[in-house]
Amino acid sequence: MDMASTFIKPMHPEGRKFVAIFAVIALILFVIWEPLGWLGVLMTVWCYYFFRDPERVTPDRTDLVISPADGVISLIEPAVPPAELGMADTPLTRVSVFMNVFNCHVNRAPVGGTVQAIAYRPGKFFNASLDKASVDNERNSVRITMADGRDIAVVQIAGLVARRIVCFTKPNEVLAPGERFGLIRFGSRLDVYLPEGVEPMVAIGQTMVAGETVIADLKA
């Protein structure tokens, strides 16, 4: 790996129009006052960095649950999966990964399996690190059925700054572990509902890397 690839990462296509907008604003600011123009350049670089989409090396074991997002574990608690997914109302262990505005926001499948349901629900925009964000905030829920018949729910939750949830996958599509399935713009959170009886292998405050960090072992 050379020095350039260490600092310059590929950008997700979703970010191209935003970087273009920031760049145009930077040019206008240069015309108004040069110091403002350089501030615009910095914001343009940040926007590019926000939409970066680096390659990840996902563990090749199919019995692992992988983090769907970069960020920090903010909550681990029992909770009922979103009702719109049609899962049982039995509380499951919910692991929440909070993403700040400096994290990579491309979301990846926590397990391999078939997408059984996708359900979008509009809502509010509380700080995504708060517990009530899972219930009150705008969200997009995905139910994935694994080869052994068990289900995992992964929920994209908009945050205080985020105003757009993007989901790339569709019902009946087969996802591989670590495969890109969505993106949330500008600060947000991902919730993973583990199958009944599965315990997490992570702790609150732990840093996650999407597509790489193991959240749980389905065989443990």
Side-chain angles (χ1 to χ4, degrees), residues 113-186:
T114 302
V115 177
Q116 292 294 337
I118 300 175
Y120 170 79
R121 198 203 71 172
K124 300 177 181 178
F125 298 96
F126 292 120
N127 189 320
S129 64
L130 301 177
D131 181 41
K132 64 180 178 180
S134 293
V135 177
D136 296 329
N137 280 24
E138 176 186 16
R139 71 189 184 205
N140 185 70
S141 306
V142 181
R143 176 180 174 182
I144 303 173
T145 300
M146 298 175 286
D148 62 6
R150 288 187 289 179
D151 289 325
I152 275 188
V154 56
V155 184
Q156 299 169 285
I157 301 173
L160 187 65
V161 182
R163 289 295 186 273
R164 184 73 169 93
I165 295 174
V166 182
C167 185
F168 311 136
T169 191
K170 299 177 182 178
N172 301 317
E173 190 168 272
V174 177
L175 294 175
E179 183 176 346
R180 300 166 180 83
F181 79 90
L183 179 149
I184 315 178
R185 296 175 189 161
F186 308 117

Coordinates of all heavy atoms in Angstrom, one line a residue, residues 113-186:
G113 N -27.4 -13.5 3.9 CA -28.7 -14.1 3.9 C -29.6 -13.4 2.9 O -29.2 -12.6 2.1
T114 N -30.9 -13.8 3.0 CA -31.9 -13.2 2.1 C -32.7 -12.1 2.7 O -33.1 -12.2 3.9 CB -32.9 -14.3 1.6 OG1 -32.2 -15.4 1.0 CG2 -33.9 -13.8 0.6
V115 N -32.9 -11.0 2.0 CA -33.6 -9.9 2.6 C -35.1 -10.2 2.5 O -35.7 -10.3 1.4 CB -33.4 -8.6 1.7 CG1 -34.2 -7.4 2.3 CG2 -31.9 -8.2 1.8
Q116 N -35.7 -10.4 3.7 CA -37.1 -10.8 3.8 C -38.0 -9.6 3.7 O -39.2 -9.7 3.2 CB -37.4 -11.6 5.0 CG -36.7 -13.0 5.0 CD -37.3 -13.9 4.0 OE1 -38.4 -13.7 3.5 NE2 -36.5 -14.9 3.5
A117 N -37.6 -8.5 4.3 CA -38.4 -7.3 4.4 C -37.6 -6.1 4.6 O -36.5 -6.1 5.2 CB -39.4 -7.5 5.6
I118 N -38.1 -5.0 4.0 CA -37.5 -3.7 4.2 C -38.7 -2.7 4.5 O -39.7 -2.7 3.8 CB -36.8 -3.2 2.9 CG1 -35.7 -4.1 2.5 CG2 -36.3 -1.8 3.1 CD1 -35.0 -3.8 1.2
A119 N -38.5 -1.9 5.6 CA -39.6 -1.1 6.0 C -39.1 0.3 6.4 O -38.3 0.4 7.3 CB -40.4 -1.7 7.1
Y120 N -39.5 1.3 5.7 CA -39.1 2.7 6.0 C -40.2 3.3 6.8 O -41.4 3.1 6.6 CB -38.9 3.5 4.7 CG -38.8 5.0 5.0 CD1 -37.6 5.5 5.4 CD2 -39.9 5.9 4.8 CE1 -37.4 6.9 5.7 CE2 -39.7 7.2 5.1 CZ -38.5 7.7 5.5 OH -38.4 9.1 5.8
R121 N -39.8 4.1 7.9 CA -40.8 4.8 8.7 C -40.3 6.2 9.0 O -39.2 6.4 9.5 CB -41.0 4.1 10.0 CG -42.3 4.5 10.7 CD -42.2 4.2 12.2 NE -41.3 5.1 12.9 CZ -41.1 5.2 14.2 NH1 -41.8 4.4 15.0 NH2 -40.3 6.1 14.7
P122 N -41.0 7.2 8.6 CA -40.6 8.6 8.9 C -40.7 8.9 10.4 O -41.3 8.1 11.1 CB -41.7 9.5 8.1 CG -42.9 8.6 8.0 CD -42.3 7.2 7.9
G123 N -40.0 9.9 10.8 CA -40.0 10.2 12.2 C -39.2 11.5 12.5 O -39.0 12.3 11.7
K124 N -38.8 11.6 13.8 CA -38.1 12.8 14.2 C -36.6 12.7 14.0 O -36.1 11.7 13.5 CB -38.5 13.0 15.7 CG -40.0 13.2 15.9 CD -40.3 13.4 17.4 CE -41.8 13.5 17.6 NZ -42.2 13.7 19.1
F125 N -35.9 13.7 14.5 CA -34.4 13.7 14.3 C -33.7 14.1 15.6 O -33.0 15.0 15.7 CB -34.1 14.7 13.2 CG -34.7 14.4 11.9 CD1 -35.9 14.9 11.5 CD2 -34.0 13.4 11.0 CE1 -36.4 14.6 10.2 CE2 -34.6 13.1 9.8 CZ -35.8 13.7 9.4
F126 N -34.0 13.2 16.6 CA -33.2 13.4 17.9 C -31.8 13.0 17.7 O -31.5 12.3 16.7 CB -33.9 12.6 19.0 CG -35.2 13.0 19.4 CD1 -36.3 12.2 19.3 CD2 -35.5 14.3 19.9 CE1 -37.6 12.6 19.7 CE2 -36.7 14.7 20.3 CZ -37.8 13.8 20.2
N127 N -30.9 13.4 18.6 CA -29.6 12.9 18.6 C -29.6 11.3 18.5 O -30.2 10.7 19.4 CB -28.8 13.4 19.9 CG -27.3 13.1 19.8 OD1 -26.9 12.0 19.4 ND2 -26.5 14.0 20.3
A128 N -28.9 10.8 17.6 CA -28.9 9.3 17.3 C -28.3 8.5 18.5 O -28.5 7.3 18.6 CB -28.2 9.0 16.0
S129 N -27.5 9.2 19.4 CA -26.9 8.4 20.5 C -27.9 8.2 21.6 O -27.7 7.4 22.5 CB -25.7 9.2 21.0 OG -26.1 10.4 21.6
L130 N -29.1 8.8 21.6 CA -30.1 8.7 22.6 C -30.9 7.4 22.4 O -31.2 7.0 21.3 CB -31.0 9.9 22.6 CG -30.4 11.2 22.9 CD1 -31.5 12.3 22.8 CD2 -29.7 11.3 24.2
D131 N -31.3 6.8 23.5 CA -32.1 5.6 23.4 C -33.4 5.7 22.7 O -33.8 4.9 21.9 CB -32.4 5.1 24.9 CG -33.2 3.7 24.9 OD1 -32.8 2.9 24.0 OD2 -34.1 3.6 25.7
K132 N -34.1 6.9 22.9 CA -35.4 7.1 22.2 C -35.3 7.2 20.7 O -36.3 7.2 20.0 CB -36.0 8.3 22.8 CG -35.3 9.6 22.6 CD -36.1 10.8 23.2 CE -35.4 12.1 23.1 NZ -36.2 13.2 23.7
A133 N -34.0 7.4 20.2 CA -33.9 7.5 18.7 C -34.4 6.3 18.0 O -34.9 6.3 16.9 CB -32.4 7.8 18.4
S134 N -34.2 5.1 18.7 CA -34.6 3.8 18.0 C -36.1 3.8 17.8 O -36.6 3.2 16.9 CB -34.2 2.7 18.9 OG -32.8 2.5 19.0
V135 N -36.9 4.5 18.6 CA -38.3 4.5 18.6 C -38.9 5.7 17.8 O -39.8 5.5 16.9 CB -39.0 4.5 20.0 CG1 -40.5 4.5 19.9 CG2 -38.5 3.2 20.7
D136 N -38.3 6.9 18.1 CA -38.9 8.1 17.5 C -38.3 8.6 16.2 O -39.0 9.3 15.5 CB -38.8 9.2 18.6 CG -39.6 8.9 19.9 OD1 -40.6 8.2 19.8 OD2 -39.1 9.3 21.0
N137 N -37.1 8.3 15.9 CA -36.4 8.9 14.8 C -36.8 8.2 13.5 O -37.3 7.1 13.4 CB -34.9 8.8 14.9 CG -34.4 9.9 15.8 OD1 -35.1 10.4 16.7 ND2 -33.1 10.2 15.6
E138 N -36.6 8.9 12.4 CA -36.8 8.3 11.0 C -35.9 7.1 10.9 O -34.7 7.1 11.4 CB -36.3 9.4 10.0 CG -36.4 8.8 8.6 CD -35.8 9.8 7.5 OE1 -35.1 10.7 8.0 OE2 -36.1 9.6 6.3
R139 N -36.4 6.0 10.3 CA -35.6 4.8 10.3 C -36.0 4.0 9.1 O -37.0 4.1 8.5 CB -35.8 4.0 11.6 CG -37.2 3.3 11.7 CD -37.4 2.7 13.0 NE -38.7 2.0 13.1 CZ -39.3 1.8 14.3 NH1 -38.8 2.3 15.4 NH2 -40.5 1.2 14.3
N140 N -35.0 3.1 8.7 CA -35.2 2.1 7.7 C -34.8 0.8 8.2 O -33.6 0.6 8.6 CB -34.5 2.5 6.4 CG -34.8 1.6 5.2 OD1 -35.9 1.6 4.7 ND2 -33.8 0.7 4.9
S141 N -35.7 -0.2 8.3 CA -35.4 -1.5 8.9 C -35.3 -2.6 7.8 O -36.1 -2.6 6.9 CB -36.5 -1.8 9.9 OG -36.7 -0.8 10.8
V142 N -34.3 -3.4 8.0 CA -34.1 -4.5 7.1 C -34.0 -5.8 7.9 O -33.3 -5.9 8.9 CB -32.7 -4.3 6.3 CG1 -32.5 -5.5 5.3 CG2 -32.7 -3.0 5.6
R143 N -34.8 -6.8 7.4 CA -34.8 -8.1 8.0 C -34.1 -9.1 7.1 O -34.5 -9.3 5.9 CB -36.3 -8.6 8.2 CG -36.5 -10.0 8.8 CD -37.9 -10.3 9.0 NE -38.2 -11.7 9.4 CZ -39.4 -12.2 9.5 NH1 -40.5 -11.4 9.3 NH2 -39.6 -13.4 9.9
I144 N -33.1 -9.7 7.6 CA -32.3 -10.7 6.9 C -32.4 -12.1 7.4 O -32.2 -12.3 8.6 CB -30.8 -10.3 6.9 CG1 -30.6 -8.9 6.3 CG2 -30.0 -11.3 6.0 CD1 -29.2 -8.3 6.5
T145 N -32.8 -13.0 6.6 CA -32.9 -14.4 7.0 C -31.7 -15.2 6.6 O -31.4 -15.3 5.4 CB -34.2 -15.1 6.4 OG1 -35.3 -14.4 6.9 CG2 -34.3 -16.6 6.9
M146 N -31.0 -15.8 7.6 CA -29.8 -16.5 7.3 C -30.1 -17.9 6.8 O -31.3 -18.4 6.8 CB -28.9 -16.6 8.6 CG -28.5 -15.2 9.0 SD -27.6 -15.3 10.6 CE -28.9 -15.5 11.7
A147 N -29.1 -18.7 6.4 CA -29.2 -20.0 5.8 C -29.8 -21.0 6.8 O -30.5 -21.9 6.5 CB -27.9 -20.5 5.3
D148 N -29.6 -20.7 8.2 CA -30.2 -21.6 9.2 C -31.6 -21.3 9.6 O -32.1 -21.9 10.5 CB -29.2 -21.7 10.4 CG -29.1 -20.3 11.1 OD1 -29.8 -19.4 10.7 OD2 -28.3 -20.2 12.0
G149 N -32.2 -20.3 8.9 CA -33.5 -19.9 9.2 C -33.7 -18.8 10.2 O -34.8 -18.3 10.4
R150 N -32.7 -18.4 10.9 CA -32.8 -17.4 11.9 C -32.7 -16.0 11.2 O -32.2 -15.8 10.2 CB -31.7 -17.5 12.9 CG -31.8 -18.7 13.9 CD -30.8 -18.7 15.0 NE -29.5 -19.0 14.5 CZ -28.4 -19.0 15.3 NH1 -28.5 -18.7 16.6 NH2 -27.2 -19.3 14.8
D151 N -33.4 -15.0 11.9 CA -33.5 -13.7 11.4 C -32.6 -12.7 12.2 O -32.4 -12.9 13.4 CB -34.9 -13.2 11.5 CG -35.8 -13.8 10.5 OD1 -35.4 -14.2 9.3 OD2 -37.0 -14.1 10.8
I152 N -32.1 -11.8 11.5 CA -31.4 -10.6 12.1 C -32.0 -9.3 11.5 O -32.2 -9.3 10.3 CB -29.9 -10.7 11.8 CG1 -29.2 -11.6 12.9 CG2 -29.3 -9.3 11.8 CD1 -27.7 -11.5 12.8
A153 N -32.3 -8.4 12.4 CA -32.8 -7.1 11.9 C -31.6 -6.1 12.0 O -30.9 -6.0 13.1 CB -34.0 -6.7 12.8
V154 N -31.5 -5.3 11.0 CA -30.5 -4.2 11.1 C -31.3 -2.9 10.7 O -32.0 -2.9 9.7 CB -29.3 -4.4 10.1 CG1 -29.7 -4.7 8.7 CG2 -28.3 -3.2 10.2
V155 N -31.2 -1.9 11.5 CA -32.0 -0.7 11.4 C -31.1 0.6 11.2 O -30.3 0.9 12.0 CB -32.9 -0.5 12.6 CG1 -33.9 0.7 12.4 CG2 -33.8 -1.7 12.8
Q156 N -31.4 1.3 10.1 CA -30.7 2.6 9.8 C -31.5 3.7 10.5 O -32.7 3.8 10.2 CB -30.6 2.8 8.3 CG -29.8 1.8 7.6 CD -30.0 2.0 6.1 OE1 -31.0 1.7 5.5 NE2 -29.0 2.6 5.4
I157 N -30.9 4.5 11.3 CA -31.6 5.5 12.1 C -31.0 6.9 11.8 O -29.8 7.1 12.0 CB -31.6 5.2 13.6 CG1 -32.2 3.9 13.9 CG2 -32.3 6.3 14.4 CD1 -32.1 3.4 15.3
A158 N -31.8 7.8 11.3 CA -31.4 9.2 11.1 C -31.1 9.8 12.4 O -31.6 9.5 13.5 CB -32.4 9.9 10.3
G159 N -30.2 10.8 12.4 CA -29.8 11.5 13.6 C -30.1 13.0 13.6 O -31.0 13.4 12.9
L160 N -29.4 13.7 14.5 CA -29.7 15.1 14.6 C -29.4 15.9 13.4 O -30.1 16.8 13.0 CB -28.9 15.7 15.8 CG -29.1 17.1 16.3 CD1 -30.5 17.2 16.8 CD2 -28.1 17.5 17.3
V161 N -28.3 15.5 12.7 CA -27.9 16.2 11.4 C -28.4 15.5 10.2 O -28.7 16.1 9.2 CB -26.4 16.4 11.4 CG1 -26.0 17.2 10.2 CG2 -25.9 17.1 12.7
A162 N -28.4 14.1 10.3 CA -28.8 13.3 9.1 C -30.3 13.6 8.7 O -31.1 13.8 9.5 CB -28.7 11.9 9.5
R163 N -30.5 13.7 7.4 CA -31.8 14.0 6.9 C -32.1 13.0 5.7 O -33.1 13.2 5.0 CB -31.9 15.4 6.4 CG -32.0 16.4 7.6 CD -33.3 16.2 8.4 NE -33.4 17.2 9.5 CZ -32.9 17.1 10.7 NH1 -32.2 16.1 11.0 NH2 -33.1 18.1 11.5
R164 N -31.3 12.0 5.5 CA -31.6 11.2 4.3 C -31.0 9.8 4.5 O -29.8 9.6 4.7 CB -30.9 11.8 3.1 CG -31.2 11.0 1.8 CD -32.6 11.2 1.3 NE -32.8 10.7 0.0 CZ -33.3 9.4 -0.3 NH1 -33.5 8.6 0.7 NH2 -33.4 9.0 -1.5
I165 N -31.8 8.8 4.6 CA -31.4 7.4 4.7 C -31.5 6.8 3.3 O -32.5 7.0 2.6 CB -32.3 6.6 5.6 CG1 -32.2 7.1 7.1 CG2 -32.0 5.1 5.6 CD1 -33.1 6.5 8.0
V166 N -30.5 6.2 2.8 CA -30.4 5.5 1.5 C -30.2 4.0 1.7 O -29.4 3.6 2.5 CB -29.3 6.1 0.7 CG1 -29.3 5.4 -0.7 CG2 -29.4 7.6 0.5
C167 N -31.1 3.2 1.1 CA -31.0 1.8 1.1 C -30.8 1.3 -0.3 O -31.7 1.5 -1.2 CB -32.2 1.2 1.8 SG -32.2 -0.6 2.0
F168 N -29.8 0.5 -0.6 CA -29.5 0.0 -1.9 C -30.1 -1.4 -2.2 O -30.3 -1.7 -3.3 CB -28.0 -0.2 -2.1 CG -27.2 1.0 -1.7 CD1 -26.0 0.9 -1.0 CD2 -27.6 2.3 -2.1 CE1 -25.2 2.0 -0.6 CE2 -26.8 3.4 -1.7 CZ -25.7 3.3 -1.0
T169 N -30.4 -2.1 -1.1 CA -30.9 -3.5 -1.3 C -32.4 -3.5 -1.5 O -33.1 -2.5 -1.3 CB -30.5 -4.4 -0.1 OG1 -30.7 -5.7 -0.5 CG2 -31.3 -4.0 1.1
K170 N -32.9 -4.7 -1.9 CA -34.4 -4.9 -2.2 C -34.8 -6.2 -1.6 O -34.0 -7.1 -1.4 CB -34.6 -4.9 -3.7 CG -34.3 -3.6 -4.4 CD -34.5 -3.7 -5.9 CE -34.1 -2.4 -6.6 NZ -34.2 -2.6 -8.1
P171 N -36.1 -6.4 -1.3 CA -36.6 -7.6 -0.8 C -36.3 -8.8 -1.8 O -36.3 -8.6 -3.0 CB -38.2 -7.4 -0.8 CG -38.3 -5.9 -0.6 CD -37.2 -5.3 -1.4
N172 N -36.0 -9.9 -1.2 CA -35.6 -11.2 -1.9 C -34.2 -11.2 -2.4 O -33.7 -12.1 -3.0 CB -36.6 -11.5 -3.0 CG -38.0 -11.7 -2.5 OD1 -38.2 -12.3 -1.5 ND2 -39.0 -11.1 -3.2
E173 N -33.5 -10.1 -2.2 CA -32.1 -10.0 -2.7 C -31.2 -10.8 -1.7 O -31.5 -10.7 -0.5 CB -31.6 -8.6 -2.8 CG -30.3 -8.4 -3.4 CD -30.0 -6.9 -3.8 OE1 -30.4 -6.4 -4.8 OE2 -29.5 -6.2 -2.9
V174 N -30.2 -11.4 -2.2 CA -29.3 -12.2 -1.3 C -28.0 -11.3 -1.0 O -27.4 -10.9 -2.0 CB -28.9 -13.5 -1.9 CG1 -27.9 -14.2 -1.0 CG2 -30.1 -14.4 -2.2
L175 N -27.8 -11.1 0.2 CA -26.6 -10.3 0.6 C -25.5 -11.2 1.2 O -25.8 -12.2 1.8 CB -27.0 -9.3 1.7 CG -28.0 -8.2 1.4 CD1 -28.3 -7.4 2.6 CD2 -27.4 -7.3 0.3
A176 N -24.3 -10.8 0.9 CA -23.1 -11.5 1.4 C -22.7 -10.7 2.7 O -23.0 -9.5 2.8 CB -22.0 -11.5 0.4
P177 N -22.1 -11.4 3.6 CA -21.6 -10.7 4.8 C -20.7 -9.5 4.5 O -19.8 -9.7 3.6 CB -20.8 -11.8 5.6 CG -21.4 -13.1 5.1 CD -21.7 -12.8 3.7
G178 N -20.9 -8.4 5.0 CA -20.1 -7.2 4.7 C -20.4 -6.5 3.4 O -19.8 -5.5 3.1
E179 N -21.4 -7.0 2.7 CA -21.8 -6.3 1.5 C -22.5 -5.0 1.7 O -23.3 -4.8 2.7 CB -22.8 -7.2 0.7 CG -23.2 -6.6 -0.7 CD -24.0 -7.6 -1.5 OE1 -24.1 -8.8 -1.1 OE2 -24.6 -7.1 -2.5
R180 N -22.2 -4.0 0.9 CA -22.8 -2.6 1.1 C -24.3 -2.7 0.9 O -24.7 -3.3 -0.2 CB -22.2 -1.6 0.1 CG -20.7 -1.4 0.3 CD -20.1 -0.7 -0.9 NE -18.7 -0.5 -0.8 CZ -17.7 -1.4 -1.1 NH1 -18.1 -2.6 -1.6 NH2 -16.4 -1.1 -1.0
F181 N -25.1 -2.2 1.8 CA -26.5 -2.2 1.6 C -27.2 -0.8 1.7 O -28.4 -0.7 1.4 CB -27.2 -3.2 2.5 CG -27.4 -2.7 3.9 CD1 -28.6 -2.1 4.3 CD2 -26.5 -2.9 4.9 CE1 -28.8 -1.6 5.6 CE2 -26.7 -2.5 6.2 CZ -27.8 -1.8 6.5
G182 N -26.5 0.1 2.2 CA -27.1 1.4 2.4 C -26.1 2.5 2.9 O -24.9 2.2 3.0
L183 N -26.6 3.7 3.2 CA -25.8 4.8 3.6 C -26.7 5.8 4.3 O -27.9 5.9 3.9 CB -25.1 5.4 2.3 CG -24.3 6.6 2.5 CD1 -23.2 6.6 1.4 CD2 -25.0 7.9 2.3
I184 N -26.2 6.5 5.2 CA -27.0 7.6 5.9 C -26.1 8.9 5.8 O -24.9 8.8 6.2 CB -27.3 7.3 7.3 CG1 -27.9 5.9 7.5 CG2 -28.4 8.3 7.9 CD1 -28.2 5.5 8.9
R185 N -26.7 10.0 5.5 CA -26.0 11.2 5.3 C -25.8 12.0 6.6 O -26.8 12.3 7.2 CB -26.6 12.1 4.2 CG -26.6 11.5 2.9 CD -27.4 12.4 1.9 NE -27.6 11.7 0.6 CZ -28.5 12.0 -0.2 NH1 -29.4 13.0 0.0 NH2 -28.7 11.4 -1.4
F186 N -24.6 12.3 7.0 CA -24.3 13.3 8.0 C -24.7 12.9 9.4 O -25.4 13.7 10.1 CB -24.8 14.6 7.6 CG -24.4 15.0 6.2 CD1 -25.3 15.3 5.2 CD2 -23.0 15.2 5.9 CE1 -24.9 15.6 3.9 CE2 -22.6 15.5 4.6 CZ -23.6 15.7 3.6

